[in-house]
Amino acid sequence: ACSARERRSSQRLRRALFPPTAPPRRCVAMESDAASLLDALCSDPLFKYMSLDVKARPEGGTAQGPSGGCIAACLSFGSAKELAVTASLLPRTAAFESSRRWASLMKRCEVAEDGAALREWTARCASGAHAEQTGALVDVGEIVAAMESDSARAAPKKAFVGVVACEGQLLAHRLSACASYAGPEDKSEWLFCLKSGQARSEKRPLFNWTGRLRPAAISPYRPVPASIPRPDYADTGYPEEEQSSPFQRTPPIMTPEEMEGMRAAGRLGRQVLDAAHRAVRPGATTDEIDRVVHEACVEAGAYPAPLRYFDFPKSVCTSVNEVICHGIPDARELQEGDAVNVDVTVIKDGFHGDLNETFVVGEPAPELKKLIQVTHECLHQAIDICKPGVPFSRLGEVISQHAHKEGFSVVKSFCGHGINRLFHCAPNIPHYAGNKARGMMKAGQCFTIEPMINAGKWQDKLWPDGWTAVTIDGKRSAQFEHTLLLGESGAEVMTRRREDSPKLCFQD
């Protein structure tokens, strides 16, 4: 998420601050100068985009055990970028306990707008009210309780930074009420993806890239609790049940009970995508969006369907700029003006909810805004003609007619699909004109429409990771998708937007 020079600078800083073999005496001397340590942390290149300005510092503490200690700091900043810092010392044994708990305790914290709870906690800490050797653990609990109080919950949401420094290790999390952000951490297991997710490499593969985008390293698999039902491919990487199903040839007709299951999955899918949308901002990585999606699914007792599907390594697809579809979340930071498509599929109680939308980081350029709006219109014009008796091939005609009229092209390599208890099944739904899709729509069928529209040529090229499909000329691409249930008079959009869904870039 930062340049090689900045990474080296950060590594030197951490080695200087936290020598792995430093004796306790060295630790005590370092920790007694809390202000200097916090200054060093704030100047770390990994915090460069925060533009932090230290407003208040503790004077340093004297409560140190014979084995030395470490500093636990809570940093909060608002729109003015003014930073309030609190710090307390704790024994080394408690430091490890604190560092393990820190991320879960501080997640999605909120604080009153005027920062009264934080300032009160800062003052108590600075006055030595929490100088006990177990004080830091108590302090963390108190600040979390204050931030999660009824008055704090009713206040506007703000961002936080939690930092724990202990014995050669720096664990940092940038946090907000909308998303969980990963800060400096051990990237030794972050590798480049190869062979459709079956292999990893320490080096970026050589390739004739079509645009400016390059793959970055990806994090290890995120675990799913054993209590959550999982598909067969979660362990094997191959969806045997899906591929051997007779529904690969004949679209199934849903029962009323199955329709209710699909509606519930669609609603959850929408909630998860909205959470991902709120996490899209400059400086966020697509891996952080994957974290948001993964955690939202797990919290709802659902399985993120892309994870391990044909060895796909992540819980969501994130397709940036010239990526058409199936982009793998990685360590690249989103930049102002980027387009990012987030494709979410959840498995809730055995049923799939599949949808995606294209978002813009910051303000969109006029041509990008037009591309995204036309893609959205293509999807909804196709939905409008859905009813029993309409040929599936007709959808491609409607989509192509509108896209070509606006000067864009329609991707032919990927299509919509049937969906129910299976992730993908019949019917196949091409989005381009002149396709040879078979069959007529029937009431009770469930399927997706997901047109991919390019600013340039329609052809695609596959990256060495075996998943990421990009435009052949490096120009931008956009996509939208809904899961539909066909009724007697038309299509029910089970993944429709809600009143509180974040607005798209072209919506007022």
Side-chain angles (χ1 to χ4, degrees), residues 17 77 87 90 288 317 323 425 501:
L17 290 175
F77 62 93
L90 68 160
E288 290 159 2
C317 297
V323 178
C425 64
S501 294

Side-chain angles (χ1 to χ4, degrees), residues 318-383:
T318 53
S319 302
V320 179
N321 294 338
E322 67 262 29
V323 178
I324 297 171
C325 62
H326 301 157
I328 300 174
D330 59 24
R332 177 189 178 272
E333 289 188 357
L334 296 173
Q335 302 171 9
E336 186 80 19
D338 279 349
V340 53
N341 177 272
V342 181
D343 192 341
V344 167
T345 308
V346 302
I347 307 177
K348 178 63 174 175
D349 298 328
F351 295 95
H352 292 75
D354 189 3
L355 72 163
N356 74 59
E357 292 178 342
T358 300
F359 313 126
V360 177
V361 183
E363 291 297 320
E367 60 274 13
L368 176 59
K369 182 177 179 179
K370 179 182 177 182
L371 173 65
I372 293 174
Q373 183 171 359
V374 169
T375 305
H376 185 265
E377 292 168 354
C378 286
L379 169 61
H380 284 272
Q381 288 187 19
I383 292 173

Side-chain angles (χ1 to χ4, degrees), residues 270-352:
R270 165 52 60 185
Q271 294 171 14
V272 173
L273 182 60
D274 287 350
H277 188 175
R278 296 184 181 99
V280 173
R281 64 195 72 179
T285 67
T286 49
D287 183 78
E288 290 159 2
I289 296 174
D290 178 77
R291 182 194 300 271
V292 172
V293 170
H294 185 91
E295 292 177 354
C297 289
V298 168
E299 288 174 6
Y303 185 88
L307 185 62
R308 297 301 310 279
Y309 183 78
F310 285 107
D311 292 308
F312 189 81
K314 291 296 174 182
S315 299
V316 67
C317 297
T318 53
S319 302
V320 179
N321 294 338
E322 67 262 29
V323 178
I324 297 171
C325 62
H326 301 157
I328 300 174
D330 59 24
R332 177 189 178 272
E333 289 188 357
L334 296 173
Q335 302 171 9
E336 186 80 19
D338 279 349
V340 53
N341 177 272
V342 181
D343 192 341
V344 167
T345 308
V346 302
I347 307 177
K348 178 63 174 175
D349 298 328
F351 295 95
H352 292 75

Side-chain angles (χ1 to χ4, degrees), residues 88-426:
S88 58
L89 300 174
L90 68 160
R92 180 180 302 152
T93 53
F96 285 99
E97 180 71 13
S98 176
S99 65
R100 282 199 299 268
R101 293 183 179 180
W102 185 274
S104 60
L105 286 174
M106 295 299 295
K107 256 186 183 179
R108 299 184 178 88
C109 289
E110 302 175 9
V111 70
E113 186 176 13
D114 60 1
L118 183 60
R119 283 200 296 272
E120 179 183 358
W121 186 80
T122 304
R124 293 173 64 190
C125 188
S127 67
H130 301 291
E132 302 86 6
Q133 290 199 346
T134 58
L137 289 177
V138 175
D139 291 345
V140 171
E142 286 191 5
I143 193 67
V144 171
M147 291 176 178
E148 293 185 342
S149 65
D150 293 339
S151 60
R153 288 182 182 278
K157 297 176 179 178
K158 286 199 172 185
F160 289 86
V161 182
V163 177
V164 171
C166 66
E167 290 203 323
Q169 296 180 2
L170 177 63
L171 173 62
H173 284 272
R174 285 174 287 142
L175 307 163
S176 76
C178 300
S180 175
Y181 284 84
E185 59 183 55
D186 181 11
K187 294 296 180 81
S188 61
E189 296 184 10
W190 288 57
L191 302 169
F192 291 93
C193 180
L194 296 173
K195 297 182 179 179
S196 299
Q198 299 179 32
R200 300 288 187 273
S201 171
E202 294 183 355
K203 296 182 179 180
R204 178 187 295 160
L206 297 176
F207 187 69
N208 185 20
W209 314 102
T210 64
R212 295 183 178 182
L213 194 69
R214 300 291 184 272
I218 68 171
S219 58
Y221 287 114
R222 291 192 163 90
V224 177
S227 59
I228 295 178
R230 60 190 64 212
D232 56 351
Y233 60 80
D235 298 317
T236 66
Y238 182 77
E240 176 65 34
E241 180 183 355
E242 175 187 280
Q243 295 301 299
S244 60
S245 171
F247 294 140
Q248 293 299 331
R249 296 177 295 276
T250 305
I253 303 297
M254 309 287 287
T255 67
E257 293 76 15
E258 290 173 328
M259 293 178 186
E260 286 304 313
M262 289 298 294
R263 290 187 180 102
R267 288 192 295 269
L268 177 60
R270 165 52 60 185
Q271 294 171 14
V272 173
L273 182 60
D274 287 350
H277 188 175
R278 296 184 181 99
V280 173
R281 64 195 72 179
T285 67
T286 49
D287 183 78
E288 290 159 2
I289 296 174
D290 178 77
R291 182 194 300 271
V292 172
V293 170
H294 185 91
E295 292 177 354
C297 289
V298 168
E299 288 174 6
Y303 185 88
L307 185 62
R308 297 301 310 279
Y309 183 78
F310 285 107
D311 292 308
F312 189 81
K314 291 296 174 182
S315 299
V316 67
C317 297
T318 53
S319 302
V320 179
N321 294 338
E322 67 262 29
V323 178
I324 297 171
C325 62
H326 301 157
I328 300 174
D330 59 24
R332 177 189 178 272
E333 289 188 357
L334 296 173
Q335 302 171 9
E336 186 80 19
D338 279 349
V340 53
N341 177 272
V342 181
D343 192 341
V344 167
T345 308
V346 302
I347 307 177
K348 178 63 174 175
D349 298 328
F351 295 95
H352 292 75
D354 189 3
L355 72 163
N356 74 59
E357 292 178 342
T358 300
F359 313 126
V360 177
V361 183
E363 291 297 320
E367 60 274 13
L368 176 59
K369 182 177 179 179
K370 179 182 177 182
L371 173 65
I372 293 174
Q373 183 171 359
V374 169
T375 305
H376 185 265
E377 292 168 354
C378 286
L379 169 61
H380 284 272
Q381 288 187 19
I383 292 173
D384 289 342
I385 71 164
C386 289
K387 62 181 180 180
V390 174
F392 287 111
S393 60
R394 174 66 180 144
L395 297 172
E397 302 286 346
V398 172
I399 292 169
S400 293
Q401 182 179 7
H402 186 61
H404 293 164
K405 181 181 68 175
E406 300 294 337
F408 301 123
S409 63
V410 181
V411 175
K412 300 181 180 180
S413 306
F414 305 95
C415 62
H417 53 88
I419 186 170
N420 41 72
R421 291 185 182 274
L422 303 178
F423 196 172
H424 300 92
C425 64

Side-chain angles (χ1 to χ4, degrees), residues 27-112:
C27 292
V28 171
M30 178 185 68
E31 289 152 359
S32 65
D33 187 10
S36 298
L37 176 57
L38 290 170
D39 278 341
L41 289 175
C42 293
S43 63
D44 189 319
L46 291 171
F47 291 92
K48 63 184 184 301
Y49 42 82
M50 294 182 186
S51 302
L52 300 179
D53 175 31
V54 175
K55 188 72 173 178
R57 302 189 188 96
E59 295 299 327
T62 58
Q64 300 169 354
S67 61
C70 88
I71 294 178
C74 176
L75 296 73
S76 170
F77 62 93
S79 58
K81 305 291 185 184
E82 293 182 348
L83 181 64
V85 178
T86 64
S88 58
L89 300 174
L90 68 160
R92 180 180 302 152
T93 53
F96 285 99
E97 180 71 13
S98 176
S99 65
R100 282 199 299 268
R101 293 183 179 180
W102 185 274
S104 60
L105 286 174
M106 295 299 295
K107 256 186 183 179
R108 299 184 178 88
C109 289
E110 302 175 9
V111 70

